[in-house]
Amino acid sequence: IVETRTNNRIQPLHFGVNYHKTPLQFKLVFGTDRALDRYELEDISLWLTGHQDYKWLTIDQPDLEMVQFKCLITELTPIMHGWLPVAFEALVVCDCPYAYGAEFSFSYTIKGTTEILFRNESSVREYIKPHLTFSSASGNTKLSIINHNDNDREFCLDGLPVGNTRVDIDNSNGIIREGVSGYNLYKGFNLNFFRLVHGDNNLSVSGDGILTITGRFLHNVAA
């Protein structure tokens, strides 16, 4: 919690709470009903460790079958039984404090102004910033998305090329690409990247084309 307390007031000046400073970590134990030889130990260690980027982990457990973890195995310790290795204890370090749901993809035909109800089914109050793809119809020059559940925040791209255009918007990393001619779209961008609040998102989308929203919901899984 970021606060400043002054002498002339009882309540603090509150600057917000950072819930995503520490990534999710947990220990995972797995093994077999027989002893493992040294070659199997080497293969398992090679499979799980030494990666340079985060990998997807799915745990075959009834209450975790709907989520995945994007993580690295940073420690791998053999567990012995009768001086023989039969299992491992792994330290799993995720890329964020949450697990991810399965990837979603929803496409909408936009003509003039189209009203869309998009439900963010995450179990966290953080914003999620999905990937947008807009296939603009010939003659269309604008894409506008107003989220009425986010204080009428508007994402707007103006001055699109008049021909058939495909626009890819990576809202999480702040990247906008025009996939046909490489046109610079930042000149007509209002600098508000698209985001979704928890629960209902009533969207007013203006333009002419096909809008696709893809991403993953976030889930607060206690490990």
Side-chain angles (χ1 to χ4, degrees):
I1 300 176
V2 181
E3 294 180 340
T4 297
R5 295 184 179 271
T6 61
N7 293 329
N8 62 343
R9 55 182 290 164
I10 300 174
Q11 293 82 9
L13 298 174
H14 181 71
F15 298 98
V17 180
N18 185 352
Y19 288 103
H20 49 266
K21 184 176 181 179
T22 304
L24 175 64
Q25 298 185 27
F26 58 92
K27 291 184 177 181
L28 182 65
V29 177
F30 57 93
T32 180
D33 56 359
R34 63 172 178 82
L36 300 169
D37 61 36
R38 185 157 300 279
Y39 300 104
E40 290 172 320
L41 292 176
E42 184 177 357
D43 287 342
I44 293 171
S45 298
L46 178 63
W47 174 47
L48 292 176
T49 63
H51 298 287
Q52 299 302 308
D53 53 357
Y54 290 95
K55 302 295 182 180
W56 289 107
L57 170 66
T58 301
I59 299 177
D60 187 11
Q61 183 175 309
D63 58 344
L64 292 175
E65 61 185 7
M66 300 300 294
V67 300
Q68 294 178 301
F69 301 91
K70 197 172 185 181
C71 61
L72 289 170
I73 306 296
T74 61
E75 295 180 16
L76 192 62
T77 305
I79 299 176
M80 315 297 285
H81 178 71
W83 300 100
L84 295 174
V86 296
F88 284 94
E89 180 182 85
L91 178 61
V92 181
V93 179
C94 299
D95 69 332
C96 75
Y98 310 117
Y100 296 85
E103 186 175 22
F104 61 79
S105 180
F106 301 99
S107 294
Y108 307 91
T109 299
I110 309 303
K111 189 71 174 178
T113 299
T114 303
E115 302 296 327
I116 297 173
L117 174 59
F118 191 99
R119 181 158 181 81
N120 175 6
E121 298 178 356
S122 300
S123 62
V124 303
R125 296 189 182 277
E126 306 277 357
Y127 293 110
I128 67 168
K129 300 176 180 179
H131 190 99
L132 300 179
T133 302
F134 184 62
S135 297
S136 180
S138 180
N140 178 68
T141 61
K142 184 177 181 179
L143 171 64
S144 170
I145 308 175
I146 299 175
N147 190 343
H148 299 292
N149 295 88
D150 190 14
N151 298 317
D152 290 332
R153 177 186 172 92
E154 181 183 17
F155 165 90
C156 183
L157 280 176
D158 205 352
L160 298 177
V162 294
N164 293 326
T165 303
R166 176 186 170 89
V167 182
D168 290 306
I169 304 108
D170 183 349
N171 293 286
S172 181
N173 294 308
I175 299 173
I176 302 175
R177 294 189 180 95
E178 193 276 305
V180 178
S181 59
Y183 187 81
N184 181 12
L185 299 177
Y186 289 96
K187 294 185 295 183
F189 179 43
N190 70 343
L191 302 181
N192 284 336
F193 281 95
F194 181 68
R195 65 191 188 186
L196 295 168
V197 300
H198 175 259
D200 289 344
N201 290 262
N202 289 278
L203 310 176
S204 295
V205 186
S206 299
D208 191 1
I210 305 296
L211 175 67
T212 302
I213 304 176
T214 58
R216 292 174 182 262
F217 297 126
L218 299 175
H219 297 273
N220 195 356
V221 178

